[in-house]
């Protein structure tokens, strides 16, 4: 370390860093309840708060055909009445202690979370245990939830980015579940019956098909005892094996445009099928993506924002799920530069798959990701969500212990290999939602155009220009 | 017992820079936060949006750090940086692994030391900011609310425009304006520097001294706008049909006292009683019982000078009559003024506030931000440790009093959005 006091200040060069601090992934306890439920506990007593999350392997990927949005509706309904409490009582009790109770779905899991001041741990567990075991899914509450979801969908469709995401998923994944809408469609939400909700819960809810993570101001022994009281007698569905096949990668170029009334910007999405979360190439691909569009200094953001001033921001990312999820570059740009922005994005994808990245770029990304690691372990909730990733996606138990070493050994050849394997600029779905009239002619340079309405339905046969 | 308490130490450098240290060795991470007492209310009326444009520009290079290098240095070090601008302040921060502390101090001190922003940077950032405005305000449903409300709620005081400004005044900004703003507001005595996290006190103080102590304070005195807008005396109201919105919606904004006042704490709790959680009054009545709304909210937009109490309801169906929505909405607010709230509701709001206060103080950045904010707005970072006590003191009478006094139609600006089909 430099001696700051005795050397004269030279502002012309950045100061040398001190030695890299050691950091280990924080210790956590893995336990099991008598009914088989796996429990992970991160103790942190700095602030008197606690967050608990129960993950059920019952994500939107399991929505039945034509019943998109069912898992999401089940999540909404979970907190809307039990054998012991009405929806109103549940809300009153958790609100009274200043806590929050929320249930939601991703593609891979349905999660029920409770955050409370730790002095109210018992209240939190009492309510969590009740909604997990005794929910009654009342029919009149379903009507309320239905109205809410329809309003939510109407709001979402007013957003150009949402429309672009919807059509992008549809073109990339076609009839695969990932091509559907996890939040449901107007039609599917109107179709969902109370019995659908009950069947879904019966099929997938049970301790073998779930795990729980608690993080914050708890003592693990006490917590396990309390958990046994409130969740120990929970029984339910056995683990159901996944039988859904991955979607094939889209070949060739496909262009989708959505007409967005009154738009002054276009939301652009460009990409294809990406990777599953447990791929051994995840770390090199994350490094590659960071360099390409994963952070502020990425090639795509610097190109579109800093060089051209086309956008407030542009990014790329792999949405890695149990099955291969999408890879997409996304940005919002003003209407007049839509085509030029898409050209720049395609050209960045071409460049990264045809040339090695520079040693300097890779060094920057490695420094960033290695240095950034401790920043992601600052709060107990951050640690808990990483443990949940390990469990949900079946990663190695030492995944985060070896993470920085694996990053450090990456080479430009490694990045080149994965870029060739996973990104092919001649196979791309290119979607823009905005003022179609203004961009249609220009977008035709990328391939055959299909036009979609705000419901995500094809409006007419491809135009010929 | 003081949950969420933030321990700190405070001193001033001879050039006027206020320094606050919060040492915490839990993880090897440090947050450097520097806030300037300059926001959109310090702008010239012809340069609306300038403080925020300036925030973008401050990442564009300084004496020893060429354009583009600021972010590169931080990112290269494994950190991240960002900034935000409000009506009252502009706040910059870096969060990075603790062995890189000196790097952040070098970067922040360099851009306080000397102006070095080029015209090319100005032109690029004008474009970026204009895209930001399009993305967040022009191309987003109900995105015009804050812009329209400010214009209605203030007549003369520089809160009448939004922080984002407008396209023409952003476009008109010149390099001379940039320099003048910099020389006026970006001086040590108008700033507060907070270090939070894993550092050793004596070394940190030596480094701060090394990088900041020899930066001269400016020669200008800062003129601060004085609030003399007359009270609102009759409802101001607009119906908007020309913007694409998915559902009818009603937005209210009431003019309320500045943050830190007793009435502000009461209003903040009242906003929770109205809207926080599914058992809150607005949700219970409009969403659950009547099913006329899909979304409701209430919150205080806290400001250094009199701010706004916002409340809104979005309809649940597109063919809902906005008048019916508004009638139900107004009834909930009137009920509070007429009959007050219950003991249980007040206790619930206090519990929520305790949980929220603690939750925002889990990260170093959250703590640093609150210390800097209190130091600039109240002249005392220690105010962060008094707020929970102030909330606890609020009584049922206080709640009814602020509802009666402020949540009245004559003190209100109303926006009604109707879908145009």
């Amino acid at each position: 370390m430099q001696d700051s006091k005795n050397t004269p200040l030279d502002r012309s060069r950045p100061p040398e860093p001190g030695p890299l601090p050691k950091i280990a992934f924080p210790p956590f306890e893995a336990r099991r309840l008598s009914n088989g439920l796996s429990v992970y506990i991160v103790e942190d007593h700095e602030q008197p708060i606690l967050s608990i999350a129960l993950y059920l392997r019952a994500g939107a990927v399991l929505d039945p055909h034509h019943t998109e949005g069912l898992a999401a509706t089940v999540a909404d309904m979970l907190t809307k009445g039990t054998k012991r409490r009405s929806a109103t009582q549940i809300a009153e009790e958790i609100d009274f202690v200043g806590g929050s109770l929320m249930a939601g779905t991703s593609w891979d899991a349905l999660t029920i979370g409770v955050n409370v001041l730790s002095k109210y741990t018992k209240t939190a567990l009492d309510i969590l245990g009740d909604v997990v075991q005794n929910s009654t899914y009342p029919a009149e509450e379903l009507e309320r939830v239905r109205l809410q979801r329809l309003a939510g969908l109407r709001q979402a469709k007013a957003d150009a980015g949402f429309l672009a995401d919807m059509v992008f998923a549809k073109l990339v994944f076609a009839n695969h579940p990932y091509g559907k809408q996890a939040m449901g469609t107007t039609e599917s939400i109107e179709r969902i019956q109370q019995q659908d909700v009950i069947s879904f819960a019966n099929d997938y809810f049970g301790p073998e098909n779930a795990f729980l993570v608690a993080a914050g101001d708890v003592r693990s022994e006490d917590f396990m005892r309390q958990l046994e009281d409130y969740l120990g007698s929970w029984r339910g569905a056995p683990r159901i094996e996944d039988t859904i096949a991955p979607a094939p990668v889209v070949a060739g170029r496909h262009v989708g445009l959505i007409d967005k009334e009154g738009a002054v910007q276009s939301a652009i999405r460009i990409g294809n099928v990406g990777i599953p979360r447990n791929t051994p190439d995840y770390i090199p691909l994350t490094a590659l993506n960071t360099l390409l569009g994963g952070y502020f200094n990425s090639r795509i953001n610097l190109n579109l924002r800093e060089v051209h001033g086309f956008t407030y921001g542009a990014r790329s990312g792999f949405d890695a799920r149990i099955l291969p999820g999408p890879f997409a570059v996304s940005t919002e740009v003003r209407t007049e530069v839509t085509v030029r922005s898409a050209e720049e994005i395609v050209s960045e994808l071409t460049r990264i798959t045809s040339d090695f990245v520079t040693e300097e770029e890779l060094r920057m990304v490695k420094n960033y990701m290695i240095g950034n690691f401790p920043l992601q372990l600052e709060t107990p909730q951050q640690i808990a969500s990483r443990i949940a990733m390990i469990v949900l996606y079946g990663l190695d138990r030492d995944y985060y212990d070896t993470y920085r070493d694996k990053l450090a050994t990456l080479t430009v050849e490694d990045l080149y290999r994965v870029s060739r394997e996973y990104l092919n600029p001649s196979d791309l779905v290119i979607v823009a939602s905005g003022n179609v009239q203004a961009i249609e002619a220009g977008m035709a340079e990328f391939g055959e155009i299909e036009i979609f309405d705000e419901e995500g339905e094809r409006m007419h046969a491809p135009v010929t220009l | 017992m003081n949950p969420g308490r933030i321990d700190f130490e405070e001193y001033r450098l001879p050039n006027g820079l206020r320094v606050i240290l919060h040492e915490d060795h839990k993880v090897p991470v440090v947050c450097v936060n520097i806030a300037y007492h300059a926001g959109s209310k310090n702008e010239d009326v012809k340069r609306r949006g300038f403080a925020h444009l300036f925030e973008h520009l401050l990442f564009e290079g300084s004496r020893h750090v060429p354009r583009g290098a600021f972010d590169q240095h931080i990112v290269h070090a494994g950190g991240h940086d960002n900034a935000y601008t409000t009506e009252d302040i502009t706040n910059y921060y870096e969060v990075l692994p603790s062995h890189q502390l000196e790097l952040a101090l070098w970067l922040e001190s360099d851009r306080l030391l000397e102006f070095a922003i080029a015209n090319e940077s100005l032109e690029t950032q004008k474009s970026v900011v204009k895209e930001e405005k399009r993305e967040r305000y022009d191309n987003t449903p109900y995105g015009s609310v804050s812009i329209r409300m400010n214009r209605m709620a203030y007549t003369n005081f520089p809160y009448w425009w939004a922080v984002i400004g407008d396209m023409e005044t952003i476009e008109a900004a010149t390099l001379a304006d940039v320099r003048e703003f910099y020389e006026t507001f970006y001086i040590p005595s108008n700033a507060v520097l907070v270090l939070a996290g894993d550092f050793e006190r004596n070394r940190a103080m030596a480094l701060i001294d090394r990088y900041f102590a020899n930066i001269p304070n400016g020669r200008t005195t800062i003129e601060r706008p004085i609030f003399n807008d007359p009270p609102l005396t009759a409802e101001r109201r607009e119906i908007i049909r020309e913007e694409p919105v998915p559902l009818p919606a009603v937005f209210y904004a009431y003019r309320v006292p500045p943050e830190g006042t007793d009435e502000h704490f009461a209003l903040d709790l009242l906003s929770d009683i109205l809207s926080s959680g599914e058992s809150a009054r607005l949700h219970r009545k409009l969403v659950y019982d009547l099913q006329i709304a899909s979304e409701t909210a209430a919150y205080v937009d806290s400001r250094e000078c009199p701010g706004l109490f916002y409340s809104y309801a979005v309809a649940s169906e597109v063919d809902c009559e906005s008048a019916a929505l508004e009638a139900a909405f107004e009834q909930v607010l009137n009920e509070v003024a007429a009959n007050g709230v219950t003991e249980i509701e007040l206790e619930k709001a206090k519990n929520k506030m305790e949980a929220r206060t603690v939750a925002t103080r889990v990260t170093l950045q959250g703590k640093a931000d609150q210390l800097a904010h209190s130091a600039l707005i109240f002249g005392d970072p220690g105010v962060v440790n008094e707020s929970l006590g102030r909330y606890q003191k609020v009584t049922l009478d206080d709640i009814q009093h602020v509802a009666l006094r402020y949540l009245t139609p004559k003190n209100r600006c109303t926006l009604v959005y109707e879908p145009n089909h």
Side-chain angles (χ1 to χ4, degrees):
Chain A
M1 192 157 45
Q2 72 290 354
D3 180 353
S4 311
K5 272 197 156 148
N6 299 325
T7 48
L9 175 58
D10 173 11
R11 287 188 184 269
S12 68
R13 262 181 303 230
E16 291 296 316
L20 189 70
K22 286 195 183 38
I23 183 165
F25 191 76
F28 61 94
E29 287 206 49
R31 307 284 286 260
R32 202 173 275 275
L33 277 194
S34 61
N35 62 1
L37 180 71
S38 298
V39 179
Y40 304 87
I41 303 168
V42 186
E43 283 196 34
D44 183 321
H45 304 284
E46 190 195 324
Q47 297 287 1
I49 49 173
L50 172 65
S51 66
I52 305 168
L54 180 75
Y55 288 77
L56 290 144
R57 295 174 203 275
V61 76
L62 301 173
D63 282 347
H65 200 51
H66 290 312
T67 318
E68 295 114 297
L70 180 57
T73 304
V74 173
D76 285 351
M77 289 292 291
L78 260 170
T79 58
K80 298 297 183 293
T82 69
K83 291 172 195 158
R84 286 170 46 204
R85 295 173 169 97
S86 68
T88 310
Q89 284 168 323
I90 293 170
E92 284 289 355
E93 278 189 51
I94 194 68
D95 284 343
F96 183 71
V97 299
S100 56
L101 168 72
M102 58 251 131
T105 40
S106 69
W107 284 102
D108 297 324
L110 190 157
T111 314
I112 311 167
V114 203
N115 295 320
V116 284
L117 291 163
S118 48
K119 62 187 170 187
Y120 299 120
T121 301
K122 269 195 166 178
T123 310
L125 287 176
D126 185 11
I127 293 172
L128 180 69
D130 193 25
V131 302
V132 169
Q133 299 172 88
N134 304 321
S135 277
T136 50
Y137 310 105
E140 74 274 14
E141 295 294 338
L142 178 60
E143 295 314 312
R144 289 196 175 89
V145 164
R146 194 190 310 281
L147 190 65
Q148 290 297 297
R149 295 207 76 81
L150 289 170
L153 197 55
R154 185 172 271 277
Q155 291 244 44
K157 283 179 184 165
D159 176 47
F162 175 85
L163 295 176
D165 285 336
M166 174 171 75
V167 169
F168 179 76
K170 190 169 191 146
L171 287 175
V172 169
F173 291 102
N175 286 321
H176 189 271
Y178 285 172
K180 313 280 186 208
Q181 285 183 69
M183 71 184 293
T185 65
T186 312
E187 275 196 333
S188 72
I189 290 167
E190 270 163 5
R191 195 181 300 122
I192 291 170
Q193 298 301 310
Q194 185 189 25
Q195 195 50 49
D196 299 322
V197 175
I198 293 170
S199 302
F200 187 94
N202 286 343
D203 284 350
Y204 299 111
F205 284 16
E208 302 288 327
N209 207 25
F211 62 92
L212 183 144
V213 190
D217 185 27
V218 283
R219 308 273 168 199
S220 57
E221 289 305 323
D222 299 346
F223 185 71
M224 286 305 290
R225 253 195 312 275
Q226 290 178 312
L227 205 55
E228 195 63 54
D229 290 344
Y230 291 108
L231 266 176
S233 53
W234 180 30
R235 300 284 180 273
R239 174 88 202 263
I240 293 176
E241 288 306 319
D242 232 329
T243 51
I244 299 162
V249 172
V250 176
R253 295 262 180 94
H254 300 263
V255 184
L257 303 181
I258 309 107
D259 203 15
K260 178 78 183 62
E261 191 201 337
V264 296
Q265 282 186 323
S266 306
I268 300 176
R269 305 289 183 265
I270 298 179
N272 208 323
V273 176
I275 50 167
R277 181 61 183 83
N278 66 359
T279 172
D281 284 331
Y282 189 78
I283 290 175
L285 274 167
T286 310
L288 177 79
N289 178 67
T290 302
L291 191 159
L292 176 69
Y295 69 161
F296 189 86
N297 282 57
S298 71
R299 288 182 175 187
I300 290 173
N301 192 57
L302 291 186
N303 180 332
L304 292 184
R305 172 180 157 131
E306 299 296 305
V307 176
H308 289 108
F310 290 164
T311 179
Y312 178 50
R315 62 231 147 256
S316 66
F318 288 95
D319 185 359
R321 306 171 184 162
I322 286 174
L323 300 171
F327 162 78
V329 181
S330 34
T331 187
E332 275 75 39
V333 302
R334 61 183 183 276
T335 304
E336 311 81 71
V337 297
T338 306
V339 178
R340 284 208 52 203
S341 298
E343 284 168 353
E344 290 296 332
I345 291 165
V346 172
S347 118
E348 290 294 356
L349 289 171
T350 306
R351 181 158 75 103
I352 208 160
T353 48
S354 54
D355 302 322
F356 282 20
V357 302
T358 66
E359 293 285 352
E360 174 61 12
E361 283 177 297
L362 177 61
R363 194 173 64 83
M364 293 270 288
V365 162
K366 281 157 73 165
N367 280 342
Y368 167 68
M369 293 176 71
I370 290 168
N372 198 246
F373 182 66
L375 276 60
Q376 298 169 20
L377 303 175
E378 205 192 330
T379 71
Q381 288 92 331
Q382 287 175 318
I383 297 160
S385 73
R386 268 158 193 77
I387 295 166
M389 289 302 101
I390 290 177
V391 181
L392 187 59
Y393 295 109
L395 309 179
D396 293 335
R397 278 298 149 100
D398 66 350
Y399 183 84
Y400 289 105
D401 300 317
T402 60
Y403 175 79
R404 290 210 289 186
D405 292 340
K406 284 183 180 151
L407 272 174
T409 58
L410 288 180
T411 63
V412 294
E413 289 82 7
D414 293 332
L415 265 58
Y416 184 70
R417 177 183 67 79
V418 292
S419 77
R420 303 288 294 179
E421 194 167 331
Y422 296 95
L423 303 176
N424 185 347
S426 55
D427 297 334
L428 287 176
V429 169
I430 298 173
V431 168
S433 74
N435 180 342
V436 165
Q437 220 186 343
I439 62 177
E440 188 174 5
M443 292 301 283
E445 76 174 73
F446 298 107
E448 211 168 81
I449 289 178
E450 290 182 281
I451 312 267
F452 294 81
D453 64 18
E454 295 188 5
E455 302 299 312
E457 300 299 330
R458 285 176 173 80
M459 279 176 74
H460 51 68
V463 286
T464 41
L465 290 158
Chain B
M1 174 72 179
N2 189 348
R5 184 184 168 78
I6 311 175
D7 292 314
F8 65 91
E9 142 175 39
E10 183 192 7
Y11 63 98
R12 260 184 207 275
L13 294 182
N15 60 11
L17 180 71
R18 189 192 280 264
V19 181
I20 299 163
L21 304 177
H22 166 76
E23 198 175 335
D24 173 354
H25 299 283
K26 201 169 83 177
V27 277
V29 170
V30 68
C31 174
V32 174
N33 186 305
I34 186 162
Y36 295 88
H37 201 174
S40 62
K41 81 167 176 314
N42 301 100
E43 291 162 355
D44 185 282
V45 63
K46 295 196 201 82
R47 294 289 175 267
R48 303 192 300 276
F50 194 84
H52 169 254
L53 173 65
F54 189 89
E55 171 216 310
H56 280 244
L57 289 168
L58 213 60
F59 290 93
E60 288 280 320
S62 56
R63 173 78 175 84
H64 303 97
V65 183
R67 183 171 187 227
F70 190 103
D71 292 313
Q72 272 184 16
H73 279 300
I74 293 294
V75 161
H76 185 163
H80 56 86
D81 60 63
N82 212 334
Y84 64 85
T85 309
T86 71
E87 291 83 358
D88 304 314
I89 65 170
T90 309
N91 185 308
Y92 301 81
Y93 62 85
E94 294 81 40
V95 182
L96 62 183
S98 47
H99 69 303
Q100 297 282 4
L101 166 65
E102 193 172 348
L103 178 75
L105 295 174
W106 171 65
L107 288 165
E108 282 297 356
S109 64
D110 203 58
R111 61 184 180 180
L112 176 56
L113 176 72
E114 198 175 311
F115 179 86
I117 296 162
N119 208 39
E120 187 192 5
S121 296
L122 177 61
E123 292 312 312
T124 305
Q125 291 309 318
K126 281 182 188 176
S127 301
V128 171
V129 168
K130 285 192 282 183
E131 282 320 295
E132 181 178 359
K133 180 167 188 291
R134 287 191 184 97
E135 189 173 325
R136 290 195 175 163
Y137 298 86
D138 303 344
N139 217 34
T140 299
Y142 319 109
S144 66
V145 167
S146 60
I147 293 173
R148 290 174 183 279
M149 283 297 193
N150 285 330
R151 212 168 281 165
M152 278 200 281
Y154 301 94
T155 40
N156 196 31
F157 193 72
Y159 282 166
W160 71 258
W161 60 84
V163 174
I164 193 74
D166 63 37
M167 295 300 193
E168 292 72 36
T169 56
I170 292 166
E171 190 50 53
T174 67
L175 212 50
D177 299 328
V178 181
R179 180 179 285 278
E180 194 195 334
F181 195 82
Y182 178 84
E183 285 175 357
T184 308
F185 296 106
Y186 282 67
I187 55 174
S189 62
N190 197 40
V192 55
L193 172 70
V194 185
L195 248 61
D198 176 38
F199 56 81
E200 191 272 309
R201 175 183 179 274
N202 290 335
R203 178 163 181 271
M205 288 172 75
L207 285 174
I208 289 167
D209 208 54
R210 183 172 162 83
Y211 283 97
F212 286 91
N214 64 354
I215 299 174
N217 199 26
R219 285 181 304 273
T220 52
T221 30
I222 298 173
E223 274 181 47
R224 310 233 172 240
I226 293 163
F227 192 87
N228 55 6
D229 256 20
L232 304 179
T233 49
E235 185 188 26
R236 300 171 188 194
R237 190 179 177 88
E238 283 178 27
I239 298 174
I240 295 114
R241 296 197 179 88
E242 69 273 22
E243 290 181 23
V245 294
L247 293 163
V250 177
F251 291 78
Y252 290 153
Y254 301 89
R255 182 132 28 98
V256 294
E259 69 175 305
T261 56
D262 288 340
E263 291 181 319
H264 169 264
F265 288 100
L267 285 158
D268 210 10
L269 288 176
L270 174 55
S271 73
D272 266 0
I273 290 169
L274 286 170
S275 82
S276 179
E278 294 191 1
S279 74
R281 285 196 176 209
L282 283 169
H283 186 94
R284 171 66 61 76
K285 181 81 176 176
L286 300 187
V287 179
Y288 193 84
D289 289 345
L290 299 176
Q291 301 184 47
I292 195 171
S294 61
E295 188 185 335
T296 59
Y299 58 93
V300 182
D301 181 355
S302 311
R303 297 181 189 178
E304 186 175 14
C305 298
L308 297 174
F309 183 106
Y310 271 96
S311 187
Y312 67 83
V314 180
S316 56
E317 290 179 291
V318 70
D319 49 9
C320 168
E321 292 289 333
S322 63
L325 177 67
E326 192 181 3
F329 183 30
E330 199 174 359
Q331 200 196 338
V332 174
L333 299 178
N334 288 342
E335 243 169 57
V336 176
N339 303 320
V341 301
T342 67
E343 195 88 51
I344 285 181
E345 286 179 301
L346 182 57
E347 192 176 342
K348 179 167 71 174
K350 288 176 179 177
N351 282 335
K352 286 252 180 206
M353 201 54 77
E354 184 180 344
R356 188 175 310 146
T357 304
V358 171
T360 56
R361 295 174 186 181
V362 170
T363 64
L364 294 170
Q365 191 203 323
K367 290 188 245 193
D369 185 81
Q370 296 198 351
L371 288 167
H373 182 86
S374 276
L376 281 189
I377 301 294
F378 306 118
D380 177 8
V383 169
V384 296
N385 293 324
E386 293 164 14
S387 64
L388 272 183
R390 300 279 299 274
Y391 284 117
Q392 289 301 345
K393 274 198 234 147
V394 173
T395 65
L396 288 173
D397 282 348
D398 296 335
I399 298 280
Q400 189 170 9
H401 164 78
V402 293
L404 272 168
R405 174 146 187 204
Y406 297 106
L407 303 195
T408 65
K410 68 172 189 174
N411 184 41
R412 180 168 83 199
C413 302
T414 304
L415 289 176
V416 179
Y417 285 80
E418 292 184 348
N420 54 359
H421 51 77

